[in-house]
mmCIF file of all heavy atoms in Angstrom:
data_model
loop_
_atom_site.group_PDB
_atom_site.id
_atom_site.type_symbol
_atom_site.label_atom_id
_atom_site.label_comp_id
_atom_site.label_asym_id
_atom_site.label_seq_id
_atom_site.Cartn_x
_atom_site.Cartn_y
_atom_site.Cartn_z
ATOM 1 N N PRO A 1328 -7.873 3.825 3.094
ATOM 2 C CA PRO A 1328 -8.726 2.785 3.668
ATOM 3 C C PRO A 1328 -9.780 3.365 4.610
ATOM 4 O O PRO A 1328 -9.523 4.321 5.333
ATOM 5 C CB PRO A 1328 -7.737 1.892 4.426
ATOM 6 C CG PRO A 1328 -6.521 2.704 4.607
ATOM 7 C CD PRO A 1328 -6.484 3.700 3.506
ATOM 8 N N GLU A 1329 -10.948 2.767 4.579
ATOM 9 C CA GLU A 1329 -12.069 3.240 5.394
ATOM 10 C C GLU A 1329 -12.109 2.601 6.778
ATOM 11 O O GLU A 1329 -12.639 3.170 7.707
ATOM 12 C CB GLU A 1329 -13.393 2.956 4.678
ATOM 13 C CG GLU A 1329 -13.588 3.813 3.449
ATOM 14 C CD GLU A 1329 -13.723 5.286 3.796
ATOM 15 O OE1 GLU A 1329 -14.358 5.621 4.811
ATOM 16 O OE2 GLU A 1329 -13.187 6.109 3.030
ATOM 17 N N TRP A 1330 -11.601 1.391 6.911
ATOM 18 C CA TRP A 1330 -11.723 0.650 8.159
ATOM 19 C C TRP A 1330 -10.349 0.435 8.781
ATOM 20 O O TRP A 1330 -9.357 0.272 8.094
ATOM 21 C CB TRP A 1330 -12.371 -0.712 7.907
ATOM 22 C CG TRP A 1330 -13.688 -0.607 7.208
ATOM 23 C CD1 TRP A 1330 -14.897 -0.322 7.773
ATOM 24 C CD2 TRP A 1330 -13.936 -0.770 5.814
ATOM 25 N NE1 TRP A 1330 -15.871 -0.307 6.813
ATOM 26 C CE2 TRP A 1330 -15.311 -0.569 5.594
ATOM 27 C CE3 TRP A 1330 -13.122 -1.049 4.716
ATOM 28 C CZ2 TRP A 1330 -15.905 -0.664 4.353
ATOM 29 C CZ3 TRP A 1330 -13.709 -1.132 3.466
ATOM 30 C CH2 TRP A 1330 -15.080 -0.944 3.295
ATOM 31 N N HIS A 1331 -10.319 0.392 10.103
ATOM 32 C CA HIS A 1331 -9.105 0.041 10.861
ATOM 33 C C HIS A 1331 -7.891 0.876 10.432
ATOM 34 O O HIS A 1331 -6.781 0.367 10.288
ATOM 35 C CB HIS A 1331 -8.775 -1.446 10.716
ATOM 36 C CG HIS A 1331 -9.913 -2.345 11.044
ATOM 37 N ND1 HIS A 1331 -10.336 -2.551 12.332
ATOM 38 C CD2 HIS A 1331 -10.744 -3.077 10.256
ATOM 39 C CE1 HIS A 1331 -11.360 -3.385 12.333
ATOM 40 N NE2 HIS A 1331 -11.637 -3.711 11.082
ATOM 41 N N ARG A 1332 -8.077 2.173 10.274
ATOM 42 C CA ARG A 1332 -6.972 3.042 9.820
ATOM 43 C C ARG A 1332 -5.772 2.992 10.758
ATOM 44 O O ARG A 1332 -4.647 3.219 10.338
ATOM 45 C CB ARG A 1332 -7.461 4.477 9.674
ATOM 46 C CG ARG A 1332 -8.370 4.675 8.489
ATOM 47 C CD ARG A 1332 -8.814 6.111 8.388
ATOM 48 N NE ARG A 1332 -9.840 6.233 7.367
ATOM 49 C CZ ARG A 1332 -9.841 7.159 6.449
ATOM 50 N NH1 ARG A 1332 -8.897 8.065 6.418
ATOM 51 N NH2 ARG A 1332 -10.789 7.199 5.556
ATOM 52 N N ASP A 1333 -6.017 2.690 12.018
ATOM 53 C CA ASP A 1333 -4.921 2.617 12.985
ATOM 54 C C ASP A 1333 -3.982 1.449 12.694
ATOM 55 O O ASP A 1333 -2.873 1.404 13.216
ATOM 56 C CB ASP A 1333 -5.475 2.503 14.410
ATOM 57 C CG ASP A 1333 -6.375 1.287 14.592
ATOM 58 O OD1 ASP A 1333 -7.226 1.020 13.705
ATOM 59 O OD2 ASP A 1333 -6.238 0.601 15.619
ATOM 60 N N ARG A 1334 -4.382 0.521 11.863
ATOM 61 C CA ARG A 1334 -3.551 -0.639 11.518
ATOM 62 C C ARG A 1334 -2.798 -0.447 10.205
ATOM 63 O O ARG A 1334 -2.153 -1.370 9.720
ATOM 64 C CB ARG A 1334 -4.426 -1.886 11.421
ATOM 65 C CG ARG A 1334 -5.085 -2.229 12.734
ATOM 66 C CD ARG A 1334 -5.962 -3.425 12.625
ATOM 67 N NE ARG A 1334 -6.683 -3.604 13.874
ATOM 68 C CZ ARG A 1334 -7.555 -4.549 14.078
ATOM 69 N NH1 ARG A 1334 -7.823 -5.419 13.137
ATOM 70 N NH2 ARG A 1334 -8.166 -4.651 15.246
ATOM 71 N N PHE A 1335 -2.877 0.765 9.636
ATOM 72 C CA PHE A 1335 -2.280 1.031 8.335
ATOM 73 C C PHE A 1335 -1.146 2.032 8.447
ATOM 74 O O PHE A 1335 -1.250 3.026 9.154
ATOM 75 C CB PHE A 1335 -3.333 1.608 7.377
ATOM 76 C CG PHE A 1335 -4.078 0.550 6.620
ATOM 77 C CD1 PHE A 1335 -4.956 -0.291 7.266
ATOM 78 C CD2 PHE A 1335 -3.866 0.379 5.270
ATOM 79 C CE1 PHE A 1335 -5.634 -1.273 6.580
ATOM 80 C CE2 PHE A 1335 -4.545 -0.604 4.567
ATOM 81 C CZ PHE A 1335 -5.429 -1.433 5.220
ATOM 82 N N ASP A 1336 -0.059 1.745 7.749
ATOM 83 C CA ASP A 1336 1.002 2.719 7.513
ATOM 84 C C ASP A 1336 0.883 3.117 6.053
ATOM 85 O O ASP A 1336 1.178 2.319 5.160
ATOM 86 C CB ASP A 1336 2.388 2.117 7.764
ATOM 87 C CG ASP A 1336 2.741 2.030 9.227
ATOM 88 O OD1 ASP A 1336 2.110 2.729 10.026
ATOM 89 O OD2 ASP A 1336 3.644 1.252 9.561
ATOM 90 N N LEU A 1337 0.402 4.321 5.829
ATOM 91 C CA LEU A 1337 0.305 4.845 4.471
ATOM 92 C C LEU A 1337 1.565 5.652 4.198
ATOM 93 O O LEU A 1337 1.774 6.706 4.785
ATOM 94 C CB LEU A 1337 -0.938 5.721 4.324
ATOM 95 C CG LEU A 1337 -2.257 4.988 4.535
ATOM 96 C CD1 LEU A 1337 -3.403 5.976 4.634
ATOM 97 C CD2 LEU A 1337 -2.500 3.989 3.423
ATOM 98 N N LEU A 1338 2.431 5.128 3.364
ATOM 99 C CA LEU A 1338 3.697 5.775 3.053
ATOM 100 C C LEU A 1338 3.445 6.757 1.918
ATOM 101 O O LEU A 1338 3.331 6.377 0.761
ATOM 102 C CB LEU A 1338 4.749 4.742 2.663
ATOM 103 C CG LEU A 1338 4.954 3.595 3.657
ATOM 104 C CD1 LEU A 1338 6.044 2.656 3.162
ATOM 105 C CD2 LEU A 1338 5.271 4.117 5.039
ATOM 106 N N ARG A 1339 3.348 8.010 2.296
ATOM 107 C CA ARG A 1339 2.985 9.043 1.323
ATOM 108 C C ARG A 1339 4.008 10.168 1.398
ATOM 109 O O ARG A 1339 4.353 10.617 2.478
ATOM 110 C CB ARG A 1339 1.589 9.567 1.656
ATOM 111 C CG ARG A 1339 1.088 10.607 0.706
ATOM 112 C CD ARG A 1339 -0.351 11.010 1.022
ATOM 113 N NE ARG A 1339 -1.266 10.002 0.493
ATOM 114 C CZ ARG A 1339 -2.188 9.379 1.221
ATOM 115 N NH1 ARG A 1339 -2.346 9.649 2.485
ATOM 116 N NH2 ARG A 1339 -2.966 8.487 0.665
ATOM 117 N N GLN A 1340 4.465 10.611 0.256
ATOM 118 C CA GLN A 1340 5.368 11.754 0.173
ATOM 119 C C GLN A 1340 4.510 13.010 0.303
ATOM 120 O O GLN A 1340 3.720 13.306 -0.586
ATOM 121 C CB GLN A 1340 6.110 11.746 -1.164
ATOM 122 C CG GLN A 1340 6.952 12.954 -1.431
ATOM 123 C CD GLN A 1340 8.176 13.033 -0.561
ATOM 124 O OE1 GLN A 1340 8.749 12.023 -0.201
ATOM 125 N NE2 GLN A 1340 8.571 14.221 -0.215
ATOM 126 N N PRO A 1341 4.632 13.752 1.403
ATOM 127 C CA PRO A 1341 3.756 14.921 1.578
ATOM 128 C C PRO A 1341 4.230 16.144 0.781
ATOM 129 O O PRO A 1341 5.401 16.274 0.458
ATOM 130 C CB PRO A 1341 3.865 15.192 3.076
ATOM 131 C CG PRO A 1341 5.213 14.680 3.454
ATOM 132 C CD PRO A 1341 5.485 13.507 2.543
ATOM 133 N N LEU A 1342 3.284 16.983 0.484
ATOM 134 C CA LEU A 1342 3.532 18.312 -0.058
ATOM 135 C C LEU A 1342 4.231 18.346 -1.417
ATOM 136 O O LEU A 1342 5.008 19.246 -1.700
ATOM 137 C CB LEU A 1342 4.315 19.158 0.946
ATOM 138 C CG LEU A 1342 3.675 19.280 2.334
ATOM 139 C CD1 LEU A 1342 4.591 20.046 3.271
ATOM 140 C CD2 LEU A 1342 2.307 19.933 2.253
ATOM 141 N N LEU A 1343 3.964 17.390 -2.257
ATOM 142 C CA LEU A 1343 4.476 17.468 -3.619
ATOM 143 C C LEU A 1343 3.567 18.398 -4.418
ATOM 144 O O LEU A 1343 2.347 18.386 -4.236
ATOM 145 C CB LEU A 1343 4.498 16.086 -4.275
ATOM 146 C CG LEU A 1343 5.552 15.120 -3.750
ATOM 147 C CD1 LEU A 1343 5.364 13.750 -4.405
ATOM 148 C CD2 LEU A 1343 6.945 15.636 -4.016
ATOM 149 N N PRO A 1344 4.134 19.203 -5.310
ATOM 150 C CA PRO A 1344 3.309 20.158 -6.054
ATOM 151 C C PRO A 1344 2.278 19.488 -6.966
ATOM 152 O O PRO A 1344 1.308 20.117 -7.363
ATOM 153 C CB PRO A 1344 4.320 20.961 -6.869
ATOM 154 C CG PRO A 1344 5.539 20.117 -6.915
ATOM 155 C CD PRO A 1344 5.537 19.275 -5.663
ATOM 156 N N CYS A 1345 2.471 18.216 -7.274
ATOM 157 C CA CYS A 1345 1.557 17.521 -8.176
ATOM 158 C C CYS A 1345 0.361 16.910 -7.449
ATOM 159 O O CYS A 1345 -0.525 16.346 -8.094
ATOM 160 C CB CYS A 1345 2.314 16.433 -8.932
ATOM 161 S SG CYS A 1345 3.204 15.291 -7.841
ATOM 162 N N GLN A 1346 0.319 16.989 -6.126
ATOM 163 C CA GLN A 1346 -0.780 16.376 -5.381
ATOM 164 C C GLN A 1346 -1.950 17.336 -5.246
ATOM 165 O O GLN A 1346 -1.729 18.544 -5.123
ATOM 166 C CB GLN A 1346 -0.295 15.932 -4.003
ATOM 167 C CG GLN A 1346 0.671 14.796 -4.076
ATOM 168 C CD GLN A 1346 1.225 14.415 -2.715
ATOM 169 O OE1 GLN A 1346 1.274 15.220 -1.803
ATOM 170 N NE2 GLN A 1346 1.654 13.185 -2.595
ATOM 171 N N PRO A 1347 -3.164 16.833 -5.235
ATOM 172 C CA PRO A 1347 -3.519 15.422 -5.388
ATOM 173 C C PRO A 1347 -3.387 14.978 -6.844
ATOM 174 O O PRO A 1347 -3.567 15.764 -7.764
ATOM 175 C CB PRO A 1347 -4.974 15.362 -4.937
ATOM 176 C CG PRO A 1347 -5.501 16.715 -5.252
ATOM 177 C CD PRO A 1347 -4.346 17.672 -5.063
ATOM 178 N N CYS A 1348 -3.081 13.727 -7.010
ATOM 179 C CA CYS A 1348 -2.811 13.199 -8.349
ATOM 180 C C CYS A 1348 -4.071 13.066 -9.186
ATOM 181 O O CYS A 1348 -4.134 13.550 -10.303
ATOM 182 C CB CYS A 1348 -2.152 11.833 -8.251
ATOM 183 S SG CYS A 1348 -0.684 11.805 -7.228
ATOM 184 N N ASP A 1349 -5.039 12.347 -8.653
ATOM 185 C CA ASP A 1349 -6.252 12.049 -9.409
ATOM 186 C C ASP A 1349 -7.306 13.109 -9.123
ATOM 187 O O ASP A 1349 -7.850 13.183 -8.036
ATOM 188 C CB ASP A 1349 -6.792 10.676 -9.026
ATOM 189 C CG ASP A 1349 -5.886 9.545 -9.480
ATOM 190 O OD1 ASP A 1349 -5.077 9.786 -10.392
ATOM 191 O OD2 ASP A 1349 -5.992 8.444 -8.929
ATOM 192 N N THR A 1350 -7.563 13.936 -10.090
ATOM 193 C CA THR A 1350 -8.634 14.926 -10.006
ATOM 194 C C THR A 1350 -9.494 14.776 -11.260
ATOM 195 O O THR A 1350 -9.110 14.090 -12.215
ATOM 196 C CB THR A 1350 -8.084 16.358 -9.913
ATOM 197 O OG1 THR A 1350 -7.304 16.628 -11.078
ATOM 198 C CG2 THR A 1350 -7.214 16.557 -8.669
ATOM 199 N N PHE A 1351 -10.646 15.413 -11.263
ATOM 200 C CA PHE A 1351 -11.558 15.272 -12.394
ATOM 201 C C PHE A 1351 -10.965 15.777 -13.702
ATOM 202 O O PHE A 1351 -11.356 15.338 -14.770
ATOM 203 C CB PHE A 1351 -12.877 15.983 -12.103
ATOM 204 C CG PHE A 1351 -13.698 15.274 -11.065
ATOM 205 C CD1 PHE A 1351 -13.970 15.886 -9.854
ATOM 206 C CD2 PHE A 1351 -14.190 14.005 -11.295
ATOM 207 C CE1 PHE A 1351 -14.715 15.237 -8.888
ATOM 208 C CE2 PHE A 1351 -14.938 13.341 -10.343
ATOM 209 C CZ PHE A 1351 -15.208 13.958 -9.139
ATOM 210 N N ASP A 1352 -10.016 16.699 -13.625
ATOM 211 C CA ASP A 1352 -9.450 17.252 -14.857
ATOM 212 C C ASP A 1352 -8.155 16.563 -15.290
ATOM 213 O O ASP A 1352 -7.501 17.003 -16.225
ATOM 214 C CB ASP A 1352 -9.224 18.760 -14.703
ATOM 215 C CG ASP A 1352 -8.241 19.100 -13.588
ATOM 216 O OD1 ASP A 1352 -8.073 18.276 -12.663
ATOM 217 O OD2 ASP A 1352 -7.658 20.198 -13.633
#
Side-chain angles (χ1 to χ4, degrees):
E1329 290 295 321
W1330 305 279
H1331 307 287
R1332 288 180 189 227
D1333 58 316
R1334 297 179 187 178
F1335 271 69
D1336 282 341
L1337 297 169
L1338 307 181
R1339 182 175 281 126
Q1340 173 70 33
L1342 305 176
L1343 289 175
C1345 54
Q1346 292 176 335
C1348 306
D1349 292 340
T1350 60
F1351 289 116
D1352 61 336

